[in-house]
Amino acid sequence: MTLSFILPAIGVLSGLGLLFGILLAYASKRFEVEVDPRTKEIKDALPGLNCAICGFTGCASFADAVVGDEVEITGCTAGGADVAHRLAAIMGLEAPDVEPQKAYVQCGGGIKEVARRFEYVGYADCHLANQVGGGPSACGYGCLGYGSCVPSCPYGLIKINEDGLPEIFLEDCTGCGACVEACPRGVIALLSEKNTPIIACISQDPGKVVRKACSVGCIACKICERVCPQEAISMEGNLAVIDHEKCDNCGICVEKCPTKCILTRQLAVMAAASQQRAV
Amino acid sequence: MPEQSLFFLLISSALINNFVLIRFLGLCPFMGISRHLDTSIGMGLAVTFVMTISGAISWIINEYVLIPLDLNFLRTIAFVLVIASLVQLVELVLHKASPGLYQALGIFLPLITTNCAVLGVALLNIQELHSFVESMVFSVGAAVGWTLAIIIFAGIRQRQELVDMPPVLRGFSSAFISVGLLSIAFFGFSGFLSTS
């Protein structure tokens, strides 16, 4: 078998490649577009996830918008304070006063704690389950446990534990708020990292109803409000709310809560927090 | 078989054997860009440009380089080289001339390179043993047909955005069902083919 086709083949392809290469090189000079060098620097400083939480179609678009002065440098919430500072340095602006926030789950009502009103048969999605008669959970406010928050995290930090509650790996959390948006019930909230207790309940139902629905819900007994030396706890409707600014983490409310609804900050983020509670 | 007039060739490639609705080629940018009418028109024009010129250049290269040197096996790679270079050229020109359209088309502009409709036109020209003039007419017809299809579809999709629809059907679900129905409608053109 003669291999006489090899040289012409190489020649043709090389020739074509060279020809088009020269053509494109000329065209790239002729049709050059002025690009601000800061755009590339900014794009490199961004997380590069193209998560689109900022509202732009991707990190490249956001970088263009920052250079074009169309958006604040704090706009990349997925990047958090770290990225905001880097962007400030590149753009020659003052470092923004961004307080780092993290996402916390404000519900302790998992499979073990909350009764089910009916058996939900359908796609395992919190939004869908929530639309079926207000959700299969006996509590109309708490976590449904089907994990709609899980895919929303651009860093993949959320997983649903054995009790059916989301666990967020807080160390890498930048406080972008995607999971807050994703939860149809508003169970997840962004809080500062201050070491204060968290009330793991958002139910506005009266105490009698909550008792029947959930073993660890807030029954509005107001013991915490009375007991707090800093007067940091107040009642909003049938739910106790902590003012984290006033709280000094004395832990008395955690001790005195009859349903063990208030958790220390460590317990609130620990795995299987519900199992740690003294029953 | 009726004598292939050039006009018939044009109608055939544009309507009767529409590249996207009958041959199912070039679906990726078709589904990806058709959400808005203006970007669809822009995309259609870009594809038209690439299809016609690459069709011509591919034919020339095949006729005067590949066949004389007996290098038919290089056809696919040589054609892809031509198409890729042309698309790069279009990208450069578009970025300068119309940055808005460039941004709007986004990733789909370089995806014209991998658009099987463009390569399909080039290869079909060879397969159907077209002359140069016939290749040009075929390429133009194919491009016009593709552009027509995407403009019609964009119109449909824009209407569908405003309609109250079950969440399950929104977005690509209704789009694919609609394009299937549009395809069935275009099959009606095959009645032009024969009278026997």
Side-chain angles (χ1 to χ4, degrees), chain A residues 5 8-9 12-13 16-17 20 23-24 27-28 30-33 61 64, chain B residues 61 65 69 71 73-74 77-78 81-82 85 88-89 92-93 95-96 103:
Chain A
F5 59 84
V12 165
L13 282 182
L16 278 178
F20 287 120
L23 180 71
L24 285 175
S28 71
R30 168 85 173 72
F31 295 104
E32 203 174 329
V33 175
S61 309
D64 285 334
Chain B
I61 289 179
V65 178
L69 292 173
L71 294 172
F73 61 93
L74 283 186
I77 190 170
L81 188 60
V82 171
S85 309
Q88 271 289 80
L89 189 65
L92 286 168
V93 174
H95 195 22
K96 180 91 175 181
Q103 285 284 66

Short mmCIF file of all heavy atoms in Angstrom, two decimals, chain A residues 5 8-9 12-13 16-17 20 23-24 27-28 30-33 61 64, chain B residues 61 65 69 71 73-74 77-78 81-82 85 88-89 92-93 95-96 103:
data_model
loop_
_atom_site.label_atom_id
_atom_site.label_comp_id
_atom_site.label_asym_id
_atom_site.label_seq_id
_atom_site.Cartn_x
_atom_site.Cartn_y
_atom_site.Cartn_z
N PHE A 5 -0.35 9.42 -0.33
CA PHE A 5 -1.35 10.46 -0.06
C PHE A 5 -0.96 11.31 1.15
O PHE A 5 -1.51 12.36 1.38
CB PHE A 5 -2.72 9.82 0.20
CG PHE A 5 -2.73 8.87 1.36
CD1 PHE A 5 -2.90 9.33 2.65
CD2 PHE A 5 -2.56 7.50 1.14
CE1 PHE A 5 -2.90 8.44 3.73
CE2 PHE A 5 -2.59 6.63 2.20
CZ PHE A 5 -2.74 7.08 3.50
N PRO A 8 0.60 15.01 0.29
CA PRO A 8 -0.42 15.95 -0.17
C PRO A 8 -1.43 16.28 0.93
O PRO A 8 -1.84 17.44 1.08
CB PRO A 8 -1.11 15.21 -1.32
CG PRO A 8 -0.14 14.20 -1.77
CD PRO A 8 0.68 13.84 -0.58
N ALA A 9 -1.81 15.27 1.74
CA ALA A 9 -2.79 15.51 2.81
C ALA A 9 -2.25 16.53 3.81
O ALA A 9 -2.93 17.50 4.16
CB ALA A 9 -3.13 14.20 3.51
N VAL A 12 -2.08 19.95 2.15
CA VAL A 12 -3.37 20.65 2.00
C VAL A 12 -3.85 21.21 3.32
O VAL A 12 -4.22 22.39 3.43
CB VAL A 12 -4.42 19.69 1.40
CG1 VAL A 12 -5.81 20.24 1.57
CG2 VAL A 12 -4.13 19.44 -0.06
N LEU A 13 -3.85 20.37 4.36
CA LEU A 13 -4.36 20.84 5.64
C LEU A 13 -3.50 21.95 6.22
O LEU A 13 -4.01 22.94 6.76
CB LEU A 13 -4.48 19.68 6.64
CG LEU A 13 -5.70 18.78 6.45
CD1 LEU A 13 -5.74 17.71 7.51
CD2 LEU A 13 -6.98 19.59 6.49
N LEU A 16 -4.20 25.10 4.17
CA LEU A 16 -5.48 25.72 4.54
C LEU A 16 -5.38 26.38 5.90
O LEU A 16 -5.84 27.52 6.08
CB LEU A 16 -6.59 24.65 4.58
CG LEU A 16 -7.22 24.25 3.25
CD1 LEU A 16 -8.25 23.17 3.49
CD2 LEU A 16 -7.86 25.44 2.57
N GLY A 17 -4.78 25.66 6.85
CA GLY A 17 -4.64 26.21 8.20
C GLY A 17 -3.86 27.52 8.17
O GLY A 17 -4.25 28.51 8.81
N PHE A 20 -6.01 30.37 6.48
CA PHE A 20 -7.05 30.91 7.35
C PHE A 20 -6.46 31.59 8.58
O PHE A 20 -7.00 32.56 9.08
CB PHE A 20 -8.02 29.80 7.77
CG PHE A 20 -8.93 29.37 6.66
CD1 PHE A 20 -8.93 28.06 6.22
CD2 PHE A 20 -9.75 30.27 6.04
CE1 PHE A 20 -9.75 27.67 5.19
CE2 PHE A 20 -10.59 29.90 5.00
CZ PHE A 20 -10.58 28.58 4.57
N LEU A 23 -5.47 35.01 7.51
CA LEU A 23 -6.70 35.79 7.32
C LEU A 23 -7.27 36.25 8.65
O LEU A 23 -7.62 37.42 8.84
CB LEU A 23 -7.73 34.93 6.57
CG LEU A 23 -9.07 35.59 6.28
CD1 LEU A 23 -8.92 36.66 5.23
CD2 LEU A 23 -10.10 34.55 5.82
N LEU A 24 -7.36 35.32 9.61
CA LEU A 24 -7.93 35.67 10.91
C LEU A 24 -7.02 36.62 11.69
O LEU A 24 -7.51 37.49 12.40
CB LEU A 24 -8.20 34.40 11.73
CG LEU A 24 -9.41 33.59 11.29
CD1 LEU A 24 -9.51 32.30 12.09
CD2 LEU A 24 -10.69 34.40 11.46
N ALA A 27 -7.73 39.92 10.32
CA ALA A 27 -9.06 40.37 10.72
C ALA A 27 -9.08 40.80 12.19
O ALA A 27 -9.74 41.77 12.56
CB ALA A 27 -10.09 39.26 10.48
N SER A 28 -8.34 40.06 13.04
CA SER A 28 -8.37 40.40 14.46
C SER A 28 -7.74 41.76 14.71
O SER A 28 -8.10 42.45 15.65
CB SER A 28 -7.70 39.31 15.29
OG SER A 28 -6.31 39.35 15.07
N ARG A 30 -7.70 44.23 12.31
CA ARG A 30 -8.56 45.18 11.61
C ARG A 30 -9.82 45.49 12.41
O ARG A 30 -10.31 46.60 12.44
CB ARG A 30 -8.89 44.58 10.23
CG ARG A 30 -9.96 45.24 9.44
CD ARG A 30 -9.41 46.43 8.62
NE ARG A 30 -10.45 46.93 7.75
CZ ARG A 30 -11.51 47.62 8.16
NH1 ARG A 30 -11.63 47.90 9.44
NH2 ARG A 30 -12.43 48.03 7.31
N PHE A 31 -10.36 44.44 13.08
CA PHE A 31 -11.63 44.60 13.79
C PHE A 31 -11.42 44.59 15.30
O PHE A 31 -12.23 44.06 16.04
CB PHE A 31 -12.60 43.48 13.41
CG PHE A 31 -13.00 43.52 11.97
CD1 PHE A 31 -12.45 42.63 11.07
CD2 PHE A 31 -13.90 44.45 11.51
CE1 PHE A 31 -12.80 42.67 9.73
CE2 PHE A 31 -14.26 44.51 10.17
CZ PHE A 31 -13.70 43.61 9.28
N GLU A 32 -10.31 45.18 15.72
CA GLU A 32 -10.01 45.12 17.14
C GLU A 32 -10.99 45.95 17.96
O GLU A 32 -11.40 47.04 17.55
CB GLU A 32 -8.60 45.64 17.39
CG GLU A 32 -7.99 45.12 18.67
CD GLU A 32 -6.54 45.54 18.79
OE1 GLU A 32 -5.90 45.67 17.74
OE2 GLU A 32 -6.09 45.75 19.92
N VAL A 33 -11.36 45.46 19.12
CA VAL A 33 -12.30 46.18 19.99
C VAL A 33 -11.57 46.62 21.25
O VAL A 33 -10.83 45.85 21.85
CB VAL A 33 -13.48 45.26 20.38
CG1 VAL A 33 -14.39 45.95 21.37
CG2 VAL A 33 -14.25 44.85 19.15
N SER A 61 -20.34 38.96 32.27
CA SER A 61 -21.29 40.08 32.17
C SER A 61 -21.21 40.96 33.40
O SER A 61 -21.29 42.19 33.30
CB SER A 61 -22.72 39.55 32.05
OG SER A 61 -22.81 38.61 31.03
N ASP A 64 -18.16 43.19 33.17
CA ASP A 64 -18.43 44.30 32.26
C ASP A 64 -19.27 45.37 32.94
O ASP A 64 -19.04 46.57 32.78
CB ASP A 64 -19.17 43.80 31.01
CG ASP A 64 -18.25 43.05 30.07
OD1 ASP A 64 -17.04 43.32 30.11
OD2 ASP A 64 -18.75 42.19 29.33
N ILE B 61 -12.94 24.30 -2.62
CA ILE B 61 -11.82 23.51 -2.10
C ILE B 61 -11.96 22.05 -2.49
O ILE B 61 -10.99 21.38 -2.86
CB ILE B 61 -11.71 23.68 -0.57
CG1 ILE B 61 -11.23 25.09 -0.25
CG2 ILE B 61 -10.80 22.64 0.04
CD1 ILE B 61 -11.10 25.38 1.22
N VAL B 65 -9.05 21.25 -5.01
CA VAL B 65 -7.92 20.78 -4.19
C VAL B 65 -8.08 19.31 -3.83
O VAL B 65 -7.19 18.49 -4.09
CB VAL B 65 -7.79 21.62 -2.91
CG1 VAL B 65 -6.65 21.11 -2.04
CG2 VAL B 65 -7.56 23.09 -3.26
N LEU B 69 -6.24 15.98 -5.99
CA LEU B 69 -5.18 15.33 -5.22
C LEU B 69 -5.66 14.02 -4.60
O LEU B 69 -4.94 13.39 -3.83
CB LEU B 69 -4.68 16.26 -4.11
CG LEU B 69 -3.92 17.50 -4.59
CD1 LEU B 69 -3.62 18.43 -3.42
CD2 LEU B 69 -2.62 17.08 -5.27
N LEU B 71 -7.90 13.36 -2.32
CA LEU B 71 -7.90 13.43 -0.85
C LEU B 71 -9.33 13.52 -0.32
O LEU B 71 -9.62 14.30 0.57
CB LEU B 71 -7.12 14.67 -0.38
CG LEU B 71 -5.61 14.67 -0.68
CD1 LEU B 71 -5.03 16.04 -0.35
CD2 LEU B 71 -4.91 13.60 0.12
N PHE B 73 -10.95 11.77 1.64
CA PHE B 73 -11.13 11.47 3.06
C PHE B 73 -10.93 12.70 3.94
O PHE B 73 -11.31 12.72 5.09
CB PHE B 73 -10.18 10.34 3.50
CG PHE B 73 -8.72 10.68 3.33
CD1 PHE B 73 -8.00 11.24 4.36
CD2 PHE B 73 -8.08 10.44 2.13
CE1 PHE B 73 -6.67 11.55 4.20
CE2 PHE B 73 -6.75 10.74 1.97
CZ PHE B 73 -6.03 11.31 3.01
N LEU B 74 -10.32 13.75 3.37
CA LEU B 74 -10.09 14.97 4.15
C LEU B 74 -11.27 15.92 4.10
O LEU B 74 -11.23 17.01 4.65
CB LEU B 74 -8.86 15.71 3.61
CG LEU B 74 -7.49 15.18 3.98
CD1 LEU B 74 -6.43 16.13 3.49
CD2 LEU B 74 -7.36 15.01 5.49
N ILE B 77 -12.90 17.18 7.54
CA ILE B 77 -12.04 18.04 8.36
C ILE B 77 -11.75 19.36 7.65
O ILE B 77 -11.71 20.42 8.27
CB ILE B 77 -10.74 17.29 8.78
CG1 ILE B 77 -10.00 18.11 9.83
CG2 ILE B 77 -9.84 17.02 7.60
CD1 ILE B 77 -8.86 17.35 10.47
N ALA B 78 -11.58 19.29 6.34
CA ALA B 78 -11.31 20.53 5.61
C ALA B 78 -12.52 21.46 5.69
O ALA B 78 -12.39 22.67 5.89
CB ALA B 78 -10.97 20.22 4.16
N LEU B 81 -12.76 23.07 9.03
CA LEU B 81 -11.75 24.13 9.11
C LEU B 81 -12.28 25.42 8.49
O LEU B 81 -12.18 26.51 9.05
CB LEU B 81 -10.48 23.66 8.39
CG LEU B 81 -9.23 24.52 8.51
CD1 LEU B 81 -8.82 24.64 9.95
CD2 LEU B 81 -8.11 23.92 7.69
N VAL B 82 -12.86 25.29 7.31
CA VAL B 82 -13.42 26.45 6.62
C VAL B 82 -14.51 27.09 7.47
O VAL B 82 -14.53 28.31 7.69
CB VAL B 82 -14.01 26.02 5.26
CG1 VAL B 82 -14.80 27.16 4.64
CG2 VAL B 82 -12.91 25.57 4.32
N SER B 85 -13.19 28.83 10.68
CA SER B 85 -12.53 30.09 10.39
C SER B 85 -13.55 31.17 10.05
O SER B 85 -13.45 32.31 10.50
CB SER B 85 -11.56 29.93 9.21
OG SER B 85 -10.71 28.84 9.44
N GLN B 88 -15.27 32.39 13.16
CA GLN B 88 -14.38 33.28 13.91
C GLN B 88 -14.39 34.66 13.29
O GLN B 88 -14.43 35.68 13.98
CB GLN B 88 -12.95 32.73 13.87
CG GLN B 88 -12.62 31.78 14.99
CD GLN B 88 -12.49 32.51 16.30
OE1 GLN B 88 -13.47 32.82 16.94
NE2 GLN B 88 -11.29 32.79 16.71
N LEU B 89 -14.36 34.69 11.96
CA LEU B 89 -14.38 35.97 11.25
C LEU B 89 -15.67 36.72 11.57
O LEU B 89 -15.65 37.91 11.87
CB LEU B 89 -14.26 35.71 9.74
CG LEU B 89 -14.06 36.93 8.86
CD1 LEU B 89 -12.72 37.56 9.17
CD2 LEU B 89 -14.12 36.54 7.38
N LEU B 92 -15.54 38.20 15.03
CA LEU B 92 -14.70 39.39 15.12
C LEU B 92 -15.44 40.61 14.57
O LEU B 92 -15.48 41.68 15.19
CB LEU B 92 -13.40 39.19 14.33
CG LEU B 92 -12.35 38.27 14.97
CD1 LEU B 92 -11.27 37.94 13.96
CD2 LEU B 92 -11.75 38.92 16.19
N VAL B 93 -16.03 40.44 13.39
CA VAL B 93 -16.72 41.56 12.75
C VAL B 93 -17.91 42.00 13.59
O VAL B 93 -18.14 43.18 13.80
CB VAL B 93 -17.17 41.17 11.32
CG1 VAL B 93 -18.00 42.28 10.71
CG2 VAL B 93 -15.98 40.86 10.45
N HIS B 95 -18.44 41.59 16.81
CA HIS B 95 -18.03 42.19 18.08
C HIS B 95 -17.75 43.67 17.90
O HIS B 95 -18.04 44.51 18.75
CB HIS B 95 -16.78 41.47 18.59
CG HIS B 95 -16.48 41.75 20.03
ND1 HIS B 95 -17.43 42.17 20.94
CD2 HIS B 95 -15.35 41.64 20.74
CE1 HIS B 95 -16.88 42.32 22.12
NE2 HIS B 95 -15.62 42.01 22.05
N LYS B 96 -17.19 44.00 16.71
CA LYS B 96 -16.88 45.40 16.42
C LYS B 96 -18.11 46.16 15.95
O LYS B 96 -18.39 47.25 16.41
CB LYS B 96 -15.79 45.43 15.32
CG LYS B 96 -15.35 46.81 14.92
CD LYS B 96 -14.17 47.26 15.74
CE LYS B 96 -13.65 48.61 15.24
NZ LYS B 96 -12.50 49.07 16.00
N GLN B 103 -23.26 40.27 22.24
CA GLN B 103 -23.57 39.83 23.61
C GLN B 103 -24.82 38.98 23.66
O GLN B 103 -24.88 37.99 24.38
CB GLN B 103 -23.79 41.07 24.50
CG GLN B 103 -22.54 41.81 24.89
CD GLN B 103 -21.75 41.10 25.97
OE1 GLN B 103 -21.21 40.00 25.75
NE2 GLN B 103 -21.70 41.69 27.12
#
